[in-house]
Amino acid sequence: MYEPTRTKHAACTHGPHRSREEELTIRLAGHLTALLTVTDELRALTPSPELDDAAHRLALRVKHLRGSSPLRAQPTATPTDPPARTAALHQRAHTLSGQALVVATQRGDTTGATLAAERLHAHARALGITDRM
């Protein structure tokens, strides 16, 4: 026979609850920080002004969302890495951009959504993904 639980669920003991807006802000900052990390790796492999600008804009957006600058790791990629590494990083960046776009849209964050959409299209181009139907 079923015996009801007499104690609070573990989820109920984690302190104050966050609003949906706060949760979306945290998720968006996380996706953009991950995208920034991949962008920094791509910058180490294939330096370009476009990637430099993207990294700068991503860092500014994360700073706006979190209230502090994101921590940035030293890239491990080198220009001598195989082309497959570059393609894999573009694929990861494409995925992260899509996730950030979804969360920014849910949050109603036009600036974040625009940035995520621009990065999504840039990485799609790098992967040879087209919008043709």
Side-chain angles (χ1 to χ4, degrees), residues 62-114:
V62 171
K63 183 177 182 178
H64 173 78
L65 292 167
R66 285 196 176 151
S68 62
S69 295
L71 296 176
R72 294 173 81 171
Q74 184 69 22
T76 60
T78 63
T80 59
D81 284 354
R85 172 95 192 263
T86 303
L89 287 169
H90 278 295
Q91 182 61 55
R92 180 71 182 136
H94 185 264
T95 300
L96 288 166
S97 299
Q99 292 169 339
L101 178 58
V102 169
V103 176
T105 302
Q106 289 175 335
R107 188 175 177 270
D109 181 343
T110 306
T111 304
T114 301

Side-chain angles (χ1 to χ4, degrees), residues 18-79:
R18 295 184 194 112
S19 69
R20 182 174 189 274
E21 181 70 20
E22 290 170 324
E23 288 292 338
L24 290 174
T25 299
I26 291 166
R27 285 181 56 204
L28 180 58
H31 289 314
L32 293 177
T33 300
L35 180 57
L36 175 60
T37 300
V38 175
T39 301
D40 284 341
E41 289 287 323
L42 283 167
R43 289 173 59 216
L45 283 171
T46 56
S48 76
E50 179 188 2
L51 288 172
D52 292 343
D53 179 59
H56 176 72
R57 292 175 59 212
L58 287 165
L60 286 176
R61 192 71 199 143
V62 171
K63 183 177 182 178
H64 173 78
L65 292 167
R66 285 196 176 151
S68 62
S69 295
L71 296 176
R72 294 173 81 171
Q74 184 69 22
T76 60
T78 63

